[in-house]
Amino acid sequence: MKKAPLALLLLLAACSQPVAQPEVASISTPPSASAGAAAQEQRPRERLDMTPEDLDALNAPYDQCMAGFGLDKKGRAEASQSQPMKEEVDRAVQACASKVPLPPWEKDPANPEALDFAQRVVRCLREKGVRYVEVLNEPGAEMITWSLGGPNNDAASITLGLEHAKECEIASSRK
């Protein structure tokens, strides 16, 4: 018996006309502008644990885009073609820019913790015996990372650093 009035109330509410809401000014980003920004942010992103095969697959769309312009991923013409003009290469690079993978978040300059991550990796590499290793954080660089070998390109530091880099990156990502 108690359910009948509730059911009637729900039925009446469902059949009634919605009340018109007044237009209110908003400071949010217009949908068209936010859609463009979202599309730009859809670039693929590398991960620290990616294998060489994973990286090849991640870079394949960019490589295919450049190939559509008759260029390799570095903007050079295929062997059978003459070198294109700078404007043509610039046009291809701009058209394919949305397919260039972003660096791993741990190395991305947009990440406020990227410098701390790089310092942890350097500390780990030094613990593994790498003598010449330092944080590389240049203004405008695509990523914050580290440099091996020092000013004299110490071969032992480079070899040992490359041997332990992936291990130290993964360990450092766990804090």
Side-chain angles (χ1 to χ4, degrees):
M1 192 64 94
K2 290 183 182 180
K3 292 182 183 178
L6 181 60
L8 182 60
L9 181 63
L10 289 174
L11 183 61
L12 289 173
C15 294
S16 66
Q17 292 285 333
V19 177
Q21 296 292 324
E23 293 279 328
V24 178
S26 172
I27 59 170
S28 65
T29 307
S32 59
S34 62
Q40 186 176 4
E41 289 299 317
Q42 294 302 318
R43 287 175 51 192
R45 184 175 292 279
E46 290 182 32
R47 290 186 335 267
L48 293 176
D49 62 350
M50 290 183 119
T51 65
E53 294 79 19
D54 293 335
L55 288 170
D56 288 344
L58 188 69
N59 284 298
Y62 176 76
D63 296 345
Q64 291 169 353
C65 182
M66 292 295 283
F69 288 91
L71 303 171
D72 68 7
K73 60 183 158 191
K74 294 186 179 182
R76 297 178 300 216
E78 296 173 0
S80 63
Q81 297 179 354
S82 62
Q83 187 60 29
M85 297 182 65
K86 181 183 179 327
E87 295 80 22
E88 293 171 327
V89 173
D90 290 345
R91 189 169 1 113
V93 168
Q94 184 177 4
C96 299
S98 66
K99 295 172 179 19
V100 176
L102 293 166
W105 179 242
E106 293 85 353
K107 298 178 181 183
D108 194 321
N111 178 355
E113 296 179 11
L115 185 57
D116 291 338
F117 170 77
Q119 290 168 340
R120 288 191 305 272
V121 172
V122 165
R123 197 168 29 254
C124 175
L125 289 170
R126 286 185 180 146
E127 290 170 0
K128 302 282 184 191
V130 179
R131 290 181 51 200
Y132 297 102
V133 59
E134 62 187 8
V135 171
L136 186 61
N137 182 16
E138 297 179 357
E142 292 180 15
M143 70 175 90
I144 298 172
T145 190
W146 49 92
S147 174
L148 298 167
N152 295 324
N153 287 326
D154 180 64
S157 291
I158 294 169
T159 301
L160 196 56
L162 291 174
E163 182 180 322
H164 293 290
K166 184 70 84 179
E167 172 189 346
C168 284
E169 284 180 344
I170 292 171
S172 297
S173 69
R174 296 183 197 127
K175 291 187 184 179

